[in-house]
C-alpha cells in the first residue's frame, strides 16, 4: 500500500521503535506560515486560501507515525479549505483510505464529486475518504486524528471499498461510533508510551471500529458475511471492467452473467446508488485515467472506449461527475505534469 510520499519535517524513531515525523509552521515567519503548510501537504492535497487567509496569522502542526501496513497522524490546524483534484490523483500514487476523527472542530461542506453523493452541508466528526477519488472540504480550527489504511481493512464491511468515500458521521451517537472515536483518541494520547506491537494492534482495532461505524451509517453493518459480499462484488466489478467498452452493457447483463437475483443485486449496489450508477462510475474513472495517460488520443475516442454512445453523452456525464469537461481535465493534467 502506498501511504504517501516523503515530506519535509523532523524525522526520528521513538523509543518503542515506531518511525515518527513532525512538521510545524511555528518556526516560519508569520507571513510564510500558510505557504509553508501548503508546500507540506501540497504533495497530496491542495490548500485553497483566500487573500484574507494569506494575510492572517496561521498555525498548524502534524505528527505522523508509520506502522506496519498503515499510518497514523495527529494534526492541529487553523481553519482551511482543501481540494484533492482528479488531475492531482492522475499524477500521484497515493491510494490509501483515510479515516478522519475530529476530536476538536469539525469538517464541513464535503463534496466528493460523484454521481451518487454531491456536496454535503453537514458538519461531521468522522469522515472517510478514498484517496483515489476527488474531494473538496472545509475544516474549522481543529485537531484531527487520521488512520491511513489499505483497501483490505475497508473490505471487511464494504464490498467495494471505494464506496466509503465521503461517508461521514455527524455526531458519534451510536455505541460503536462512540467507542471508535474514544479508542482513536486514546491511541493518540498513548502512541509514544506503548510498545510497537500494542500501537499496531490498537491502530488496527481503531480502523476496524471506524469502518464498522461507517458501515452502520450506510446500513451495511448488520448484513453479515462480508467475505461473501466482497467476493460477489469482485466478480461483478471484473465483469463490468471486461465489458466496459460495450455501449449496450446494462445492469441486466451483469445480473444475468453472474446469475444474481435482483434483490441481491439491489442490496450489493445500494451504497453505490444502484448498479447502473456503478457502471457509469467505472466508465468515467476509466475515461479520466485514459485522458491523463494518453494526451494525444482524441477525446471522443476515449469516450467511445469507455462505452459511451456519443461524444456529447461522454462530455455531459464527465462534466456532471467532475465539474469540468474532458478537454478541461486534459489541459489541467498537462499543465500539472
Amino acid at each position: 500500500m502506498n501511504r504517501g510520499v516523503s515530506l519535509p519535517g523532523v524525522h526520528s524513531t521513538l523509543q518503542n521503535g515506531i518511525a515518527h515525523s513532525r512538521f510545524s509552521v511555528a518556526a516560519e515567519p508569520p507571513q510564510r506560515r500558510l505557504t509553508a503548510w501548503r508546500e507540506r501537504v501540497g504533495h497530496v492535497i491542495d490548500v485553497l486560501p483566500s487573500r484574507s487567509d494569506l494575510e492572517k496569522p496561521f498555525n498548524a502542526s502534524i505528527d505522523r507515525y508509520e506502522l506496519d501496513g498503515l499510518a497514523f497522524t495527529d494534526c492541529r490546524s487553523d481553519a482551511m479549505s482543501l481540494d484533492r483534484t482528479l488531475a492531482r490523483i492522475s499524477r500521484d500514487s497515493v491510494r490509501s483510505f483515510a479515516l478522519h476523527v475530529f476530536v476538536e472542530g469539525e469538517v464541513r461542506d464535503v463534496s466528493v464529486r460523484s454521481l451518487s453523493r454531491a456536496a454535503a452541508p453537514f458538519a461531521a466528526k468522522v469522515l472517510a475518504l478514498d484517496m483515489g477519488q476527488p474531494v473538496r472540504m472545509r475544516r474549522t480550527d481543529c485537531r484531527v486524528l487520521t488512520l491511513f489504511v489499505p483497501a483490505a481493512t475497508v473490505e471487511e464491511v464494504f464490498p467495494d471499498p471505494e464506496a466509503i468515500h465521503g461517508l461521514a458521521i455527524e455526531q458519534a451517537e451510536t455505541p460503536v461510533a462512540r467507542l471508535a472515536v474514544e479508542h482513536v483518541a486514546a491511541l493518540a494520547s498513548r502512541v509514544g508510551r506503548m510498545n510497537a506491537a500494542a500501537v499496531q494492534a490498537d491502530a488496527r482495532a481503531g480502523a476496524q471500529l471506524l469502518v464498522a461505524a461507517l458501515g452502520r451509517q450506510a446500513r451495511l453493518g448488520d448484513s453479515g458475511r462480508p467475505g461473501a459480499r466482497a467476493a460477489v462484488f469482485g466478480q461483478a466489478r471484473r465483469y463490468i471492467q471486461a465489458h466496459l467498452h460495450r455501449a449496450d452493457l446494462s445492469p441486466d447483463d451483469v445480473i444475468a452473467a453472474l446469475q444474481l437475483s435482483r434483490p441481491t443485486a439491489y442490496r450489493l449496489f445500494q451504497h453505490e446508488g444502484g448498479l447502473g450508477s456503478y457502471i457509469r462510475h467505472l466508465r468515467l474513472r476509466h475515461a479520466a485515467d485514459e485522458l491523463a495517460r494518453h494526451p494525444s488520443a482524441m477525446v471522443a475516442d476515449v469516450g467511445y472506449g469507455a462505452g459511451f454512445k456519443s461524444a456529447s453523452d461522454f462530455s455531459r456525464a464527465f462534466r456532471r461527475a467532475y465539474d469540468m469537461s474532458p478537454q478541461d481535465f486534459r489541459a489541467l493534467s498537462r499543465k500539472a505534469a
Side-chain angles (χ1 to χ4, degrees):
M1 174 192 69
N2 184 295
R3 295 191 299 272
V5 293
S6 179
L7 298 171
V10 178
H11 297 262
S12 63
T13 300
L14 302 180
Q15 289 186 344
N16 56 12
I18 293 173
H20 168 248
S21 64
R22 177 173 175 78
F23 179 79
S24 172
V25 300
E28 297 285 343
Q31 68 275 14
R32 235 198 71 79
R33 288 183 177 180
L34 183 53
T35 302
W37 186 255
R38 292 181 72 192
E39 293 169 354
R40 168 60 170 78
V41 302
H43 299 267
V44 176
I45 194 164
D46 296 315
V47 178
L48 305 176
S50 64
R51 183 180 296 275
S52 62
D53 288 336
L54 291 169
E55 295 171 351
K56 292 187 298 188
F58 180 80
N59 291 292
S61 65
I62 186 167
D63 289 274
R64 182 181 178 93
Y65 305 90
E66 298 290 345
L67 306 174
D68 183 16
L70 52 84
F72 179 57
T73 63
D74 184 345
C75 176
R76 301 169 188 264
S77 76
D78 290 346
M80 69 179 84
S81 294
L82 298 165
D83 189 21
R84 180 161 167 81
T85 64
L86 196 61
R88 177 167 296 282
I89 291 165
S90 71
R91 65 180 189 274
D92 71 28
S93 58
V94 181
R95 296 295 181 269
S96 54
F97 292 79
L99 307 175
H100 299 293
V101 175
F102 288 80
V103 292
E104 298 173 15
E106 59 203 13
V107 62
R108 299 176 178 172
D109 304 329
V110 179
S111 174
V112 296
R113 300 181 187 173
S114 73
L115 295 175
S116 56
R117 280 194 296 277
F122 56 74
K125 291 295 187 180
V126 175
L127 175 68
L129 297 176
D130 171 9
M131 299 304 289
Q133 298 189 59
V135 63
R136 177 174 288 193
M137 57 187 170
R138 183 165 59 91
R139 294 186 347 195
T140 64
D141 295 357
C142 68
R143 181 186 178 196
V144 56
L145 309 175
T146 306
L147 284 160
F148 294 90
V149 304
T153 300
V154 182
E155 285 175 344
E156 293 174 7
V157 173
F158 289 81
D160 175 25
E162 293 180 2
I164 204 171
H165 186 55
L167 288 183
I169 297 173
E170 296 183 42
Q171 294 293 335
E173 295 177 343
T174 66
V176 67
R178 286 197 299 271
L179 181 60
V181 169
E182 291 168 3
H183 183 93
V184 174
L187 172 62
S189 69
R190 302 179 301 178
V191 65
R193 303 196 304 270
M194 297 188 295
N195 63 55
V199 173
Q200 184 73 36
D202 272 14
R204 166 76 173 157
Q208 290 174 319
L209 285 167
L210 288 170
V211 172
L214 289 158
R216 293 287 181 90
Q217 187 86 348
R219 299 183 180 179
L220 293 175
D222 297 321
S223 53
R225 299 195 301 167
R229 292 200 315 273
V232 175
F233 199 100
Q235 286 182 321
R237 177 164 47 192
R238 288 190 294 272
Y239 180 86
I240 294 167
Q241 288 172 334
H243 297 85
L244 208 57
H245 61 282
R246 285 178 40 200
D248 62 346
L249 178 66
S250 70
D252 286 342
D253 294 329
V254 180
I255 290 170
L258 300 183
Q259 299 182 343
L260 299 175
S261 69
R262 289 190 179 277
T264 296
Y266 175 81
R267 288 193 300 271
L268 198 62
F269 291 93
Q270 182 180 10
H271 56 287
E272 293 285 355
L275 182 49
S277 179
Y278 183 67
I279 292 172
R280 287 195 303 275
H281 171 70
L282 287 189
R283 291 193 196 281
L284 289 165
R285 290 290 298 276
H286 174 78
D289 289 342
E290 291 296 295
L291 287 168
R293 198 163 28 230
H294 302 292
S296 61
M298 296 288 292
V299 170
D301 289 341
V302 171
Y304 291 131
F308 288 92
K309 295 180 180 180
S310 70
S312 58
D313 285 346
F314 172 47
S315 182
R316 281 195 297 271
F318 197 96
R319 187 182 292 278
R320 281 198 304 269
Y322 299 124
D323 297 331
M324 69 178 77
S325 69
Q327 294 86 348
D328 289 342
F329 168 71
R330 169 170 279 170
L332 188 61
S333 298
R334 284 174 173 170
K335 183 178 179 181

